[in-house]
Amino acid sequence: MAVALRRFRHLPSLLYRSSFAMIRGLPQAPAGCPALLLDGCRQCAQQMMLTRQLATKKAKGKGQTQARVNISAALVEDIINLEETNEDMQAVVEALKEDFSRNLSVRTSPGALDHIIVVTKDGKFPLNQLGQISQKSPQLMTVNMTNFPESTAAATKAIRESGMNLNPEVDGTIIRVPIPKVTREHRESLAKLAKQSTNKSKEALRKVRSKSVNQVKKFKSKVSEDTIWLLEKQIQQMADSAAAEMDKLLAAKTKELLG
């Protein structure tokens, strides 16, 4: 029994030397190692093994998280452009931020009407391209449709259906837009719209993630299983980070709307 225990005591070091020997047996990395593990090299294998060991290590204790995967974009550029993937995800976040700023405010201003989309027989146009928007008083805005009188009805409909709780009135080519008092019901309605917009943005984010993962999977026959696994892990981390940013935006906007 004692002999068996002494042998097991040396097992970790033997396994470590075995792993090191396997890496040492790989060819040296070419200068710059530009292509990524397609052919395999010692430097890349060391990085990949270390990264996977860190990524798969179990979190010990409450509140601890797994180590993040951080693959060099240069090593995997032949498979996927990670920087471009991250930019696409951040673009979704920025679009949500802009939507919150433009369309979800308890204070209606002329700028809030600018980008309401008006559907006409000639196509779709932002309201500010068809009419001149101005604020006559804190309780009234107007849209002068003199330049495109034929689009007055379409513009009125677009304002009414904008989700901003507006009830426009038409006076010839002038659209009068009374600004309603900010009620608790209106605030809650805007908060619901913020939640809906966030859910739509998260769906767009999932599409970006799925597209990137599918791109990586096309290389299953050309690269190692570890490479595919780590790339999928990093793409998921990017998506999780963007989703967390969206949740923060939603929480801040909800707090602002509900007061």
Side-chain angles (χ1 to χ4, degrees):
M1 183 67 177
V3 173
L5 288 174
R6 283 197 298 273
R7 288 178 178 174
F8 275 115
R9 187 181 306 152
H10 297 292
L11 185 57
S13 61
L14 289 172
L15 290 174
Y16 173 80
R17 287 198 297 269
S18 176
S19 298
F20 181 76
M22 179 182 69
I23 295 171
R24 187 171 56 186
L26 292 171
Q28 279 284 1
C33 192
L36 124 169
L37 312 162
L38 284 175
D39 298 317
C41 69
R42 183 186 307 171
Q43 180 181 349
C44 295
Q46 287 173 333
Q47 177 178 351
M48 296 299 287
M49 286 187 68
L50 176 60
T51 306
R52 178 147 193 180
Q53 286 169 359
L54 290 173
T56 57
K57 186 177 180 181
K58 298 285 185 180
K60 296 181 180 179
K62 234 178 184 181
Q64 292 186 3
T65 57
Q66 291 184 356
R68 291 180 63 82
V69 175
N70 188 17
I71 304 173
S72 169
L75 285 177
V76 295
E77 61 184 4
D78 290 346
I79 295 178
I80 189 172
N81 188 327
L82 289 175
E83 292 179 357
E84 186 176 295
T85 297
N86 191 51
E87 287 173 1
D88 289 344
M89 291 183 179
Q90 286 304 310
V92 177
V93 176
E94 290 301 316
L96 177 64
K97 191 183 298 185
E98 185 177 353
D99 179 50
F100 280 179
S101 175
R102 180 187 299 166
N103 301 321
L104 298 175
S105 174
V106 292
R107 297 179 182 84
T108 306
S109 64
L113 304 183
D114 284 353
H115 299 284
I116 290 177
I117 300 299
V118 181
V119 181
T120 72
K121 63 180 181 179
D122 296 318
K124 298 180 180 180
F125 302 93
L127 181 60
N128 64 351
Q129 290 186 12
L130 301 176
Q132 182 179 356
I133 304 170
S134 58
Q135 186 154 1
K136 297 299 183 181
S137 73
Q139 290 77 40
L140 179 67
M141 286 191 297
T142 62
V143 184
N144 189 330
M145 298 294 295
T146 302
N147 292 331
F148 297 93
E150 70 280 2
S151 299
T152 301
T156 304
K157 180 182 178 183
I159 295 170
R160 184 175 292 113
E161 297 177 354
S162 65
M164 298 173 66
N165 195 34
L166 300 174
N167 188 24
E169 303 165 354
V170 180
D171 182 10
T173 57
I174 302 296
I175 303 174
R176 299 181 186 279
V177 187
I179 301 174
K181 292 182 179 180
V182 180
T183 63
R184 185 67 184 179
E185 181 181 3
H186 180 49
R187 288 176 179 273
E188 291 174 352
S189 176
L190 290 176
K192 288 180 181 179
L193 288 175
K195 178 66 174 176
Q196 292 172 8
S197 295
T198 303
N199 289 338
K200 288 181 181 178
S201 295
K202 285 187 176 181
E203 179 60 32
L205 180 65
R206 284 191 287 270
K207 288 180 180 179
V208 175
R209 183 193 63 79
S210 296
K211 179 182 176 182
S212 300
V213 169
N214 289 337
Q215 171 67 21
V216 168
K217 287 181 177 179
K218 291 178 182 178
F219 287 80
K220 272 190 172 181
S221 61
K222 298 181 181 179
V223 299
S224 70
E225 180 184 343
D226 273 357
T227 305
I228 299 297
W229 185 89
L230 287 168
L231 281 171
E232 289 180 357
K233 184 77 173 176
Q234 182 148 339
I235 291 168
Q236 184 61 54
Q237 285 177 177
M238 290 178 179
D240 290 344
S241 178
E245 193 172 348
M246 289 181 186
D247 288 337
K248 288 181 181 178
L249 289 172
L250 176 60
K253 176 55 69 172
T254 301
K255 183 177 180 180
E256 173 194 323
L257 293 172
L258 297 180

